Amino acid sequence: MAKKAKSLRCPTCRTLVMAGEEHFPFCSDRCRLIDLGKWASGGYVISTPINDPEMLENIAEEQSRQKPDGEDATRKQ
């Protein structure tokens, strides 16, 4: 029985891409850069909530030290 060639759809444009192709799993460098741009601009997010209590405390402390305009509340003008 012959093996099936592995393939996926390009995450950006949904074109069929074979596993051995140069830009796999993308169909081209253009689609790879579009995907990278979405990650860099915050277009993609990991939606798992933070479950580490220590990390939640650190985030809460940071937020309480900052002014609404983003400056550190402890810094004097």
Side-chain angles (χ1 to χ4, degrees), residues 1-65:
M1 192 161 133
K3 273 190 165 180
K4 272 185 142 180
K6 292 185 182 181
S7 64
L8 290 175
R9 296 273 177 191
C10 174
T12 305
C13 69
R14 309 303 297 161
T15 300
L16 191 61
V17 184
M18 303 306 288
E21 292 186 23
E22 179 183 4
H23 300 288
F24 186 81
F26 300 94
C27 67
S28 65
D29 195 42
R30 177 184 176 273
C31 283
R32 181 185 303 274
L33 290 173
I34 289 170
D35 186 73
L36 178 61
K38 286 180 183 178
W39 278 106
S41 68
Y44 295 137
V45 293
I46 299 173
S47 61
T48 305
I50 300 172
N51 294 323
D52 181 9
E54 186 175 316
M55 189 179 274
L56 289 172
E57 274 182 28
N58 292 342
I59 291 170
E61 286 174 13
E62 277 185 38
Q63 289 176 345
S64 68
R65 284 186 280 162

